[in-house]
Amino acid sequence: QVQLVESGGGLVQPGGVLRLSCAASGTIFRIATMGWYRQAPGKQRELVAHITDDGEITYADSVKGRSSISKDNAKNTTFLQINSLKPEDTAVFYCNARIATRRWGIVQAYWGQGTQVTVSS
């Protein structure tokens, strides 16, 4: 099985910096994509950023220009940094990874447990 373990988050002041990390472990043959989604109260879960196995990156418009996603392939870990945080960035952030667990297996989506990020003074 595959597990995604997130770290980071918590209470951050407006204008501050958020740093999150997510490590995948278990039976992993290939990680097609790793990334982050978020869900604010009363809203649908939305993509924040993701990175593919060949390094292609996508950012949501809401964080573009103030965010950076990267990965450490050797450690199956992805990192997200968001600068200039705003109160509207408050949400539960979820790590997502699309992983094949064997050589000819299908790629499946896995989710972390979520980490609360609150932007407030």
Side-chain angles (χ1 to χ4, degrees):
Q1 279 294 347
V2 173
Q3 287 188 323
L4 302 181
V5 178
E6 301 144 338
S7 61
L11 178 64
V12 187
Q13 290 192 340
V17 179
L18 172 67
R19 296 183 181 90
L20 301 175
S21 65
C22 172
S25 63
T27 305
I28 298 171
F29 176 75
R30 181 177 77 93
I31 298 178
T33 67
M34 287 191 84
W36 297 88
Y37 286 70
R38 67 184 178 184
Q39 187 166 18
K43 295 188 176 181
Q44 290 187 332
R45 191 173 297 188
E46 62 177 8
L47 173 70
V48 178
H50 75 124
I51 184 168
T52 67
D53 54 355
D54 59 2
E56 183 176 345
I57 291 173
T58 301
Y59 293 107
D61 288 342
S62 58
V63 301
K64 196 174 294 183
R66 60 188 180 100
S67 298
S68 176
I69 187 170
S70 60
K71 62 189 176 89
D72 183 333
N73 291 328
K75 296 181 179 179
N76 291 333
T77 299
T78 186
F79 306 92
L80 177 70
Q81 179 169 316
I82 304 177
N83 303 317
S84 304
L85 284 169
K86 310 171 185 179
E88 51 263 43
D89 290 316
T90 296
V92 178
F93 281 68
Y94 296 91
C95 179
N96 170 269
R98 297 178 64 248
I99 295 172
T101 58
R102 51 192 174 90
R103 183 176 180 86
W104 305 113
I106 61 171
V107 173
Q108 293 181 292
Y110 296 87
W111 293 92
Q113 77 280 6
T115 183
Q116 176 70 47
V117 173
T118 302
V119 183
S120 174
S121 54

